[in-house]
Amino acid sequence: MPSNVEIKARVSDPVLFARRAAELSQSEGTVIRQRDMFFICSRGRLKLRDFMDGTGQLIFYERPDTDGPKLSRYSISPTSDPPSLQAVLSDALGVKGEVRKERRLFLIGQTRVHLDTVEGLGHYMELEVNTHTHTQITELRFTEELMERLGVSEQDLVTGAYMDLILNAPKDPQNTTVTL
């Protein structure tokens, strides 16, 4: 099963983060709208990512729910009919929830840097370093250095997936939702 090292953190200043990521990647990044439907499963996480253009990916992944760098093992299968696949998986497994986000993707070397605006949560970043090109020790060092260069502090780190954050968020009727 392929794997990568991931880090997820809150971003308090998305404009500054985007500027730093653009400088390091020497690009303005690529904007991708995504809708992730999470399904109930006995281990790991199973989600259907709909790119809202008629394409998508079914993604199964396992990773520890800890902050800081963590190893994620995953399997991905592309689909050209996300709505139909969603209907079948919803009937078979049940739906855990949905995450909608606008992702700005930057590539810094072999690292995917995501600046995400997550509906209902706000701004986050993710770093993903492919383990095919580095050793795990090298990846951990590189991601920690990259976090520092992007201005991400340890207190900003979060555990779990966006779906977990949404499900565990306090329900506040005064809370404003980030719209995409």
Side-chain angles (χ1 to χ4, degrees):
M1 190 180 296
S3 62
N4 61 21
V5 172
E6 295 184 12
I7 295 174
K8 185 185 313 260
R10 286 178 193 82
V11 173
S12 58
D13 188 340
V15 173
L16 178 60
F17 183 90
R19 187 174 342 134
R20 287 176 175 164
E23 287 171 8
L24 292 170
S25 69
Q26 298 180 353
S27 87
E28 292 303 311
T30 303
V31 175
I32 307 165
R33 290 181 178 265
Q34 300 175 343
R35 181 178 160 265
D36 292 344
M37 183 65 65
F38 282 78
F39 300 96
I40 299 167
C41 64
S42 60
R43 66 180 177 87
R45 293 180 176 91
L46 181 66
K47 66 182 173 185
L48 176 61
R49 173 161 291 158
D50 187 341
F51 293 110
M52 298 182 283
D53 65 358
T55 66
Q57 299 172 325
L58 183 62
I59 304 168
F60 170 76
Y61 65 101
E62 294 177 298
R63 72 167 183 244
D65 287 334
T66 58
D67 59 12
K70 52 197 152 272
L71 185 65
S72 178
R73 300 183 189 285
Y74 60 89
S75 297
I76 299 175
S77 179
T79 181
S80 59
D81 190 358
S84 178
L85 185 53
Q86 178 183 325
V88 171
L89 290 169
S90 296
D91 288 345
L93 301 174
V95 173
K96 187 173 187 177
E98 178 182 73
V99 175
R100 291 178 180 265
K101 65 181 173 278
E102 182 175 278
R103 170 166 280 177
R104 192 163 162 195
L105 169 65
F106 300 92
L107 295 175
I108 301 173
Q110 297 295 317
T111 302
R112 295 172 59 91
V113 177
H114 306 145
L115 174 58
D116 294 336
T117 302
V118 184
E119 190 173 295
L121 290 179
H123 303 286
Y124 289 81
M125 60 72 64
E126 288 183 348
L127 302 180
E128 294 178 355
V129 183
N130 191 315
T131 58
H132 297 298
T133 55
H134 300 86
T135 66
Q136 194 170 350
I137 300 294
T138 303
E139 290 166 26
L140 290 173
R141 278 194 207 117
F142 180 76
T143 54
E144 289 167 350
E145 289 171 16
L146 190 53
M147 280 175 48
E148 187 176 318
R149 292 175 75 188
L150 290 168
V152 177
S153 66
E154 295 221 4
Q155 64 259 27
D156 295 327
L157 297 176
V158 296
T159 62
Y162 293 136
M163 185 76 260
D164 302 323
L165 296 174
I166 288 171
L167 291 173
N168 295 324
K171 305 302 180 219
D172 180 1
Q174 303 279 326
N175 191 13
T176 57
T177 301
V178 177
T179 55
L180 304 177

